[in-house]
Amino acid sequence: MTDRRGVVAKRAEDLMPGVPYVRGWNRARQSASALADQLVLLGLDSDFPGLVADVNVVGDGLVQLGTVRPEAAELLATLIAAGLRAELHGTTAETPATARREAPAA
């Protein structure tokens, strides 16, 4: 697994001695759990059933979203954009119910 900038190494399948896999995986687990909590609040937990913590070959934690429907990815992008707009303008973001209702239909 490598992003277009080459930042993320491929996921660890064979573990090597001396690499702090547990530390990276634990951080990923905490982050995946925090994201899962927010998805539950938004009613999106069933849209991300493949959300899991993982680790790459150098011990960096990874959070995998899994395979999602295009509508779920679009809704997540809409919610992130709304949060960024709210942060930039010092206002509160739209409510999750409003965001979900206004998301484009498939």
Side-chain angles (χ1 to χ4, degrees):
M1 167 187 271
T2 304
D3 68 2
R4 61 188 148 179
R5 293 174 293 156
V7 175
V8 180
K10 69 178 190 166
R11 76 182 277 283
E13 293 182 11
D14 297 319
L15 304 182
M16 296 176 9
V19 178
Y21 295 110
V22 174
R23 185 179 313 136
W25 179 84
N26 192 46
R27 180 144 193 267
R29 184 184 59 80
Q30 292 171 349
S31 298
S33 178
L35 179 56
D37 290 346
Q38 295 304 308
L39 291 172
V40 167
L41 292 174
L42 293 167
L44 295 175
D45 48 317
S46 63
D47 290 313
F48 293 85
L51 178 65
V52 295
D54 206 344
V55 67
N56 68 16
V57 294
V58 294
D60 297 329
L62 304 173
V63 175
Q64 294 188 28
L65 298 179
T67 303
V68 298
R69 296 177 305 111
E71 297 83 12
E74 192 168 347
L75 180 56
L76 184 59
T78 299
L79 291 167
I80 291 169
L84 290 172
R85 279 193 304 277
E87 189 174 288
L88 286 173
H89 299 299
T91 61
T92 58
E94 56 186 295
T95 65
T98 303
R100 187 168 182 87
R101 195 171 40 252
E102 293 176 357

